[in-house]
Amino acid sequence: MAQSLEFLLIQFLMPDNDARRQAEDQIKRLAKDPQVVPALILHLRTAKTPNVRQLAAVLLRKKITGHWSKLSPQDKQLVKDSLIQSITLEHSPPVRKASANVVSIVAKYAVPSGMWPELFPFLFHSSQSPQEDQREVALILFSSLTETIGNAFRPHFADLQALLLKCLQDETSNRVRVAALKAVGSFMEFTHDGDEVIKFREFIPSILHVSRQCLASGEEDVAIIAFEIFDELIESPAPLLGDSVKSIVQFSLEVCSTQSLEPNTRHQAIQIISWLAKYKSNILKKHKLILPILHVLCPLLAESTNEDEDDDLAPDRAAAEVIDTMALNIPKHVFPPVLEFASVSYQNANPKFREAAVTALGVISEGCLELMKKNLEPVLHIVLAALRDPEQMVRGAASFALGQFAEYLQPEIVSHYEGVLPCILNALEDVSDEVKEKSYYALAAFCENMGGDILPFLDPLMGRLLASLQNSSRILKGTCMSAIGSIASAAEQAFFPYAERVLELMKNFMVLTNDEDLRSRARATELVGMVAISVGKTRMEPILPPYIEAAIAGFGLEYSELWEYTHGFFSNIAEILGDSFAQYLPHVVPLAFSSCNLDDGSAIDIDDGDDEIANGFEGVSSDDEAHDELRVRNISIRTGVLDEKAAATQALGLFAQHTAVSYAPYPLLDT
């Protein structure tokens, strides 16, 4: 097998695609035989070219899991000895790293059973070797072995920490320092014992030093390992940071404010500030770090975003999220400097700073609500001035801020309706659809709690909104409907003169079937239910059948938001009709049960990435016999489905409440 395999390995590396495919098929056939392991070991040690040796190691890593138990004791010893020799004597860094990856797989089976007692002594010896390559590869192995045999390191933990600290401070090799940083990151992920974790506090100065060097040399992907380590330290319940928190914050602020760095690197730095605000806010207060943080983050709100940049990584967005987190956790310390920033910046000649001024006030309105309620006059002065700004971006940010105020600063904000509502009305005429959309959002949030105070504005508001329903873009029509719904809720019976016109218009929206129109259909269905609550049973019952029919037909369209709002619509109709709603139960109860029984839509993202892909080895190195453990990278849930299920569950409860005896034949849960 050895000779034929050597030829196939060489053939696989040829540029000829046909030859490559033939070699791949033959290698997969030979790889089913356990004797492929000693054959690959031979080529790992003796092949003339590094590419062939590396390919042999890559294949070995994939195949050895399935064949290990079938190997003789002699072959197992051959594998272990050869891997140690490859790591010790190999001149090619990629081959050494590929061999180290095989060691981590073999160690998973050999170390726990006591079959590789010489491995740890070899690693500790190599990590202190005078040869740079030896020290580096030993640290690489320490990193990879934590994933497979992390528990086996526990008896050696004190020695290992001392070794890692020494390597972090290696004065002769940047490669060793970088490998040590990666190893520290790996062990931090694995270590959860408080006494073990707390010893890493003395690593912080060296970690910062290595990370700064990596940033200076362009190795940003390595430098961000420091933030992953700090993340672990911050989340630990042990008092880990001490005075070092100042250095960590200073480094994080340096990185997040350096525009030449990659967005992800800056984002990682900003996240450290966010975690500190969330988990260690008392430390920020103790070390007087809140002002220095806000003096950097508030101006970041004014940074222009690259059009090609991921919005989630944009510094201005990330800074807003952190300021929001700080406001929620330490509001008394956040509000004064943010108000000071806004008071100065809203008159800045640079429109980005004027935008940042009102954005900052908007994002802190939830966390700093009590302080903002007490200072509404100066806050509203800034935001209402921005609503008249010549720049669209500033007016849009002001509309957003007003919407936040209307949501969080109740009921105090409503007392300022005489000054606020006319400004919002003017903003509804803005030349920018983006500003209009945010203004509708602000109007909806503001009007919802106005009650009778809305009556003097009812006619001009509804005139404006009814016109917009017929002449605006698709997106604006949806937000316009939300605003009308809030006005209907506030006005109650006073909404009666406008109800007929609104309901007539909604008929047109509730029969739309194109995908791009379904959001408007959902909003229209919701609005009819809200209008029904305002005008009552006597007015609504005679005209309901076509709306009920359209709502039920909506379940034939694949759009979760429409189904969610339709369940809300049926809930409102049940509330106004009472037992008269019983005639619709046979139609709507099965629809609600169907939504309740939906799968939650959870998804698991598996990380099976490897160096083989980067090197073009993924085809030949994969087959059904590879049993390497895959790592879960991310778990997500489709929140739209959960919202639909929540609306359906609430609807069933209201059906039972308002139809009483008529609902009795239906179970509370569909079994």
Side-chain angles (χ1 to χ4, degrees), residues 548-587:
I548 297 282
E549 182 180 343
I552 292 172
F555 282 91
L557 303 167
E558 290 290 331
Y559 193 63
S560 185
E561 187 176 355
L562 173 60
W563 299 346
E564 174 198 344
Y565 286 2
T566 303
H567 290 309
F569 163 78
F570 287 136
S571 296
N572 286 345
I573 299 304
E575 182 177 342
I576 66 164
L577 293 187
D579 197 52
S580 298
F581 189 73
Q583 61 183 305
Y584 300 113
L585 290 178
H587 305 287

Coordinates of all heavy atoms in Angstrom, one line a residue, residues 548-587:
I548 N -63.5 39.3 8.3 CA -63.2 38.0 8.9 C -62.8 37.1 7.8 O -61.8 36.3 7.9 CB -64.5 37.4 9.6 CG1 -64.9 38.3 10.8 CG2 -64.3 36.0 10.0 CD1 -64.1 38.1 12.0
E549 N -63.5 37.1 6.6 CA -63.2 36.2 5.5 C -61.8 36.5 5.0 O -61.0 35.6 4.7 CB -64.2 36.4 4.4 CG -64.0 35.6 3.2 CD -65.1 35.8 2.1 OE1 -66.1 36.4 2.4 OE2 -64.8 35.4 1.0
A550 N -61.4 37.8 4.9 CA -60.1 38.2 4.4 C -59.0 37.7 5.4 O -57.9 37.2 5.0 CB -60.0 39.7 4.1
A551 N -59.3 37.9 6.7 CA -58.3 37.5 7.7 C -58.1 36.0 7.7 O -56.9 35.5 7.7 CB -58.8 37.9 9.1
I552 N -59.1 35.2 7.5 CA -59.0 33.7 7.5 C -58.2 33.3 6.2 O -57.3 32.5 6.2 CB -60.4 33.0 7.5 CG1 -61.0 33.2 8.9 CG2 -60.2 31.5 7.2 CD1 -62.4 32.7 9.0
A553 N -58.5 34.0 5.1 CA -57.8 33.7 3.8 C -56.3 34.0 4.0 O -55.5 33.3 3.3 CB -58.4 34.5 2.7
G554 N -55.9 34.9 4.8 CA -54.5 35.2 5.0 C -53.7 34.1 5.5 O -52.5 34.0 5.3
F555 N -54.3 33.1 6.1 CA -53.5 31.9 6.6 C -53.2 31.0 5.4 O -52.4 30.0 5.6 CB -54.3 31.1 7.6 CG -54.3 31.8 9.0 CD1 -55.3 32.7 9.3 CD2 -53.3 31.5 9.9 CE1 -55.2 33.3 10.6 CE2 -53.2 32.1 11.1 CZ -54.2 33.0 11.5
G556 N -53.6 31.3 4.2 CA -53.2 30.5 3.0 C -51.9 31.1 2.5 O -51.4 30.6 1.5
L557 N -51.4 32.2 3.1 CA -50.2 32.8 2.6 C -49.1 32.6 3.6 O -49.3 32.6 4.8 CB -50.4 34.3 2.4 CG -51.6 34.8 1.5 CD1 -51.9 36.2 1.7 CD2 -51.2 34.5 0.0
E558 N -47.9 32.3 3.1 CA -46.8 32.0 4.0 C -46.1 33.3 4.5 O -45.2 33.8 3.9 CB -45.7 31.1 3.2 CG -46.2 29.7 2.9 CD -46.3 28.9 4.2 OE1 -45.5 29.1 5.1 OE2 -47.1 28.0 4.2
Y559 N -46.6 33.8 5.6 CA -46.0 35.0 6.2 C -46.4 35.1 7.6 O -47.5 35.4 8.0 CB -46.6 36.3 5.4 CG -45.8 37.5 5.8 CD1 -44.5 37.6 5.4 CD2 -46.4 38.6 6.4 CE1 -43.7 38.8 5.7 CE2 -45.7 39.8 6.7 CZ -44.4 39.9 6.3 OH -43.7 41.0 6.6
S560 N -45.4 34.7 8.5 CA -45.6 34.6 9.9 C -46.2 35.8 10.6 O -47.0 35.8 11.4 CB -44.3 34.1 10.6 OG -44.6 33.8 12.0
E561 N -45.7 37.0 10.1 CA -46.1 38.3 10.8 C -47.6 38.5 10.5 O -48.4 39.0 11.4 CB -45.3 39.4 10.2 CG -45.6 40.7 11.0 CD -44.7 41.9 10.5 OE1 -43.8 41.6 9.7 OE2 -44.9 43.0 11.0
L562 N -48.1 38.1 9.3 CA -49.5 38.3 9.0 C -50.3 37.4 9.9 O -51.4 37.8 10.4 CB -49.7 37.9 7.5 CG -51.2 37.8 7.1 CD1 -51.9 39.2 7.3 CD2 -51.3 37.4 5.6
W563 N -49.9 36.1 10.1 CA -50.6 35.2 11.0 C -50.6 35.7 12.4 O -51.6 35.6 13.1 CB -50.0 33.8 10.9 CG -50.0 33.2 9.5 CD1 -50.7 33.7 8.5 CD2 -49.2 32.1 9.1 NE1 -50.5 32.9 7.4 CE2 -49.6 31.9 7.7 CE3 -48.3 31.2 9.7 CZ2 -49.0 30.9 7.0 CZ3 -47.8 30.2 8.9 CH2 -48.1 30.0 7.6
E564 N -49.5 36.3 12.9 CA -49.4 36.8 14.2 C -50.4 37.9 14.4 O -51.2 37.9 15.4 CB -48.0 37.4 14.5 CG -47.8 38.1 15.8 CD -46.6 39.0 15.8 OE1 -45.7 38.8 15.0 OE2 -46.5 39.9 16.7
Y565 N -50.4 38.9 13.5 CA -51.4 40.0 13.6 C -52.8 39.6 13.4 O -53.7 40.2 14.0 CB -51.0 41.1 12.6 CG -49.8 41.9 12.9 CD1 -49.0 41.6 14.0 CD2 -49.3 42.9 12.1 CE1 -47.9 42.3 14.4 CE2 -48.2 43.7 12.4 CZ -47.5 43.3 13.5 OH -46.3 44.0 13.9
T566 N -53.0 38.5 12.6 CA -54.4 38.1 12.4 C -54.9 37.4 13.7 O -56.1 37.6 14.0 CB -54.5 37.1 11.3 OG1 -53.9 37.7 10.1 CG2 -55.9 36.6 11.0
H567 N -54.1 36.7 14.4 CA -54.5 36.2 15.7 C -54.9 37.4 16.7 O -55.9 37.3 17.4 CB -53.4 35.4 16.4 CG -53.2 34.0 15.7 ND1 -54.2 33.2 15.4 CD2 -52.0 33.5 15.3 CE1 -53.7 32.1 14.8 NE2 -52.4 32.2 14.7
G568 N -54.1 38.5 16.6 CA -54.5 39.6 17.4 C -55.8 40.3 17.0 O -56.6 40.7 17.8
F569 N -56.0 40.3 15.7 CA -57.3 40.8 15.1 C -58.5 40.0 15.7 O -59.4 40.5 16.2 CB -57.2 40.7 13.6 CG -58.6 40.8 12.9 CD1 -59.2 42.0 12.8 CD2 -59.2 39.7 12.4 CE1 -60.4 42.1 12.1 CE2 -60.4 39.8 11.8 CZ -61.0 41.0 11.6
F570 N -58.3 38.6 15.6 CA -59.4 37.8 16.1 C -59.6 38.0 17.6 O -60.8 38.0 18.1 CB -59.2 36.3 15.8 CG -59.3 36.0 14.4 CD1 -58.4 35.1 13.7 CD2 -60.4 36.4 13.6 CE1 -58.5 34.8 12.4 CE2 -60.5 36.1 12.3 CZ -59.6 35.3 11.7
S571 N -58.5 38.2 18.4 CA -58.7 38.5 19.8 C -59.5 39.8 20.0 O -60.4 39.8 20.9 CB -57.3 38.7 20.4 OG -56.5 37.5 20.3
N572 N -59.2 40.8 19.3 CA -60.0 42.1 19.4 C -61.5 41.9 19.1 O -62.4 42.4 19.7 CB -59.4 43.2 18.6 CG -58.1 43.7 19.2 OD1 -57.8 43.4 20.3 ND2 -57.3 44.4 18.4
I573 N -61.7 41.1 18.0 CA -63.1 40.9 17.6 C -63.8 40.1 18.6 O -65.0 40.4 18.9 CB -63.1 40.2 16.2 CG1 -62.4 41.1 15.1 CG2 -64.6 39.9 15.8 CD1 -63.0 42.5 15.0
A574 N -63.2 39.1 19.2 CA -63.8 38.3 20.3 C -64.2 39.2 21.4 O -65.2 39.0 22.1 CB -62.9 37.2 20.7
E575 N -63.3 40.2 21.7 CA -63.5 41.1 22.9 C -64.8 41.9 22.7 O -65.6 42.1 23.6 CB -62.3 41.9 23.1 CG -62.4 42.9 24.3 CD -61.2 43.7 24.5 OE1 -60.1 43.3 24.0 OE2 -61.3 44.7 25.2
I576 N -65.0 42.4 21.4 CA -66.1 43.3 21.2 C -67.4 42.6 21.0 O -68.5 43.0 21.3 CB -65.9 44.3 20.1 CG1 -65.8 43.6 18.7 CG2 -64.7 45.2 20.4 CD1 -65.9 44.6 17.6
L577 N -67.3 41.4 20.4 CA -68.5 40.6 20.1 C -69.0 39.8 21.2 O -70.2 39.4 21.3 CB -68.3 39.7 18.9 CG -68.1 40.4 17.5 CD1 -68.1 39.3 16.4 CD2 -69.1 41.4 17.2
G578 N -68.1 39.4 22.1 CA -68.5 38.5 23.2 C -69.0 37.1 22.7 O -68.4 36.6 21.8
D579 N -70.2 36.6 23.2 CA -70.6 35.3 22.8 C -71.1 35.3 21.3 O -71.1 34.2 20.7 CB -71.8 34.9 23.7 CG -72.0 33.4 23.6 OD1 -71.1 32.6 23.7 OD2 -73.2 33.0 23.3
S580 N -71.3 36.5 20.7 CA -71.6 36.5 19.3 C -70.5 36.0 18.4 O -70.6 35.7 17.2 CB -72.0 37.9 18.9 OG -73.2 38.3 19.6
F581 N -69.2 36.0 19.0 CA -68.1 35.5 18.3 C -68.1 34.0 18.1 O -67.3 33.4 17.3 CB -66.8 35.9 19.0 CG -65.5 35.7 18.2 CD1 -65.2 36.5 17.2 CD2 -64.7 34.6 18.6 CE1 -64.0 36.2 16.5 CE2 -63.5 34.4 17.9 CZ -63.1 35.2 16.8
A582 N -69.0 33.3 18.8 CA -69.0 31.8 18.8 C -69.2 31.3 17.3 O -68.6 30.2 17.0 CB -70.2 31.3 19.7
Q583 N -69.9 32.0 16.5 CA -70.1 31.5 15.1 C -68.8 31.4 14.3 O -68.7 30.6 13.4 CB -71.0 32.5 14.4 CG -70.4 33.9 14.3 CD -71.4 34.9 13.6 OE1 -71.8 34.7 12.5 NE2 -71.7 36.0 14.3
Y584 N -67.7 32.1 14.8 CA -66.4 32.1 14.1 C -65.5 31.1 14.7 O -64.4 30.8 14.1 CB -65.8 33.5 14.1 CG -66.6 34.5 13.4 CD1 -67.2 35.6 14.1 CD2 -66.9 34.5 12.0 CE1 -67.9 36.6 13.5 CE2 -67.6 35.4 11.4 CZ -68.2 36.5 12.2 OH -68.9 37.4 11.5
L585 N -65.8 30.5 15.9 CA -64.9 29.6 16.6 C -64.5 28.4 15.7 O -63.3 28.1 15.7 CB -65.5 29.1 17.9 CG -65.6 30.2 19.0 CD1 -66.2 29.6 20.2 CD2 -64.2 30.8 19.3
P586 N -65.4 27.7 15.0 CA -64.9 26.6 14.2 C -63.9 26.9 13.2 O -63.1 26.0 12.7 CB -66.2 26.1 13.6 CG -67.3 26.6 14.4 CD -66.8 28.0 14.9
H587 N -63.8 28.2 12.8 CA -62.9 28.6 11.7 C -61.5 29.0 12.4 O -60.5 28.7 11.8 CB -63.4 29.7 10.9 CG -64.7 29.4 10.3 ND1 -64.9 28.5 9.2 CD2 -66.0 29.8 10.6 CE1 -66.2 28.4 8.8 NE2 -66.9 29.2 9.7

